[in-house]
Amino acid sequence: VIALAGPGFLHGYENGYPPLLYVAKNLTVDVWGVIGCLALGLAALRLLARRGRPPAEAALPAGAGAVLSAAVLAVVLELVLFLRLPHEAAYLIPAVPFTLLLAARALSRREYRILCVCILVSAFIAKVSEPGKLNSVPADATSRRVRLGGRELQVDLLRGPLVVAHLRRRTDLDYLARVRATARRQEGRSVIVAGEWLPALRVLAGGVHDGAARYVHTLTASQADSLRQEGVAIFDVPAAGSAPGETADGGLQLRSGAR
């Protein structure tokens, strides 16, 4: 990223700050899972009960002061960066091993093993999702809708994050197949602004062209104006967070005045 963008990689475009409920969701259950979050909460209570003192036989023994200081610094820096742009829980992945290091110092070996097992189990049981998105996974018999903070969430009791991610990937591939079929039907030149879908489309199409259509990540205003003057049709692939009703023409949106 640095080689491609230089120091500008730290800049981003403003697309609205997510609701605080979704920020909290990305910060907690989307990283550790529901059971993992409960286990981390109990671990924190256990540490408070000891008044912040680690147990005599901690999973990470004494003498690791430099490691712990580095871990604290890493977690704090990751939290600061995340809260600046908290759109994806995956942005917090670098903080996960450092959080586990801190937990290893705060818990006994037995407690730490239990915590790790809970985090592993969280990958397979219980997932909190935002319904109504383009790639949302349909509810099943064990799913429940709850309202929290004035917003609706879907809780899948027996389908954990790994299972839901697999089903979402299949939904994405079905959607991208429709997008590609629409792209190949275009008779004249067309440009399809794919955004976050571009990497997947490039892999599926074996490049940036599908027939007479060409996939791009974004277009500047001047680039779009130039294409319109040449009579090129411009389509947009809605973001994965869009509502299904916002799509048209086989999954694509024709820009106003693009023909």
Side-chain angles (χ1 to χ4, degrees):
V1 173
I2 295 174
L4 290 172
F9 85 96
L10 285 170
H11 296 276
Y13 69 96
E14 295 296 334
N15 194 29
Y17 204 82
L20 292 181
L21 175 64
Y22 294 157
V23 175
K25 174 176 167 291
N26 285 338
L27 188 62
T28 55
V29 293
D30 280 1
V31 178
W32 303 103
V34 175
I35 297 174
C37 276
L38 292 174
L40 281 169
L42 290 174
L45 291 176
R46 183 72 171 162
L47 183 61
L48 286 175
R50 297 193 187 108
R51 298 181 181 180
R53 292 191 298 270
E57 296 184 0
L60 182 67
V67 172
L68 294 177
S69 298
V72 170
L73 179 62
V75 171
V76 170
L77 288 176
E78 281 295 321
L79 285 175
V80 171
L81 289 172
F82 171 77
L83 292 174
R84 173 65 184 86
L85 198 70
H87 293 283
E88 295 285 346
Y91 298 164
L92 287 166
I93 287 176
V96 169
F98 297 105
T99 303
L100 293 175
L101 278 173
L102 294 173
R105 182 63 186 137
L107 301 174
S108 68
R109 291 181 178 273
R110 179 174 177 274
E111 292 167 342
Y112 187 66
R113 291 192 185 105
I114 293 173
L115 172 65
C116 291
V117 169
C118 288
I119 293 172
L120 288 172
V121 170
S122 282
F124 301 94
I125 298 176
K127 165 66 176 171
V128 181
S129 307
E130 303 158 40
K133 287 186 173 182
L134 185 62
N135 62 346
S136 292
V137 174
D140 68 358
T142 67
S143 301
R144 298 291 183 270
R145 294 287 181 94
V146 298
R147 292 194 67 83
L148 188 64
R151 298 183 179 274
E152 191 173 49
L153 296 172
Q154 177 175 307
V155 180
D156 290 283
L157 300 177
L158 297 182
R159 297 187 300 188
L162 277 180
V163 177
V164 172
H166 171 67
L167 295 174
R168 188 170 290 160
R169 178 65 60 87
R170 291 172 58 181
T171 301
D172 288 348
L173 289 174
D174 290 342
Y175 173 69
L176 292 175
R178 298 203 313 273
V179 169
R180 292 193 62 210
T182 304
R184 291 193 295 267
R185 285 198 301 267
Q186 302 305 310
E187 296 180 358
R189 289 174 58 203
S190 60
V191 168
I192 299 172
V193 181
E196 65 188 76
W197 298 104
L198 181 61
L201 285 167
R202 288 182 64 177
V203 171
L204 294 171
V208 296
H209 290 91
D210 246 345
R214 176 168 60 95
Y215 300 113
V216 299
H217 185 264
T218 52
L219 287 175
T220 64
S222 61
Q223 288 172 333
D225 290 340
S226 177
L227 289 170
R228 290 190 183 99
Q229 292 172 7
E230 297 174 14
V232 177
I234 303 175
F235 294 89
D236 291 288
V237 183
S242 303
E246 295 175 9
T247 63
D249 196 11
L252 298 178
Q253 293 175 324
L254 178 66
R255 286 196 184 184
S256 177
R259 277 193 174 133

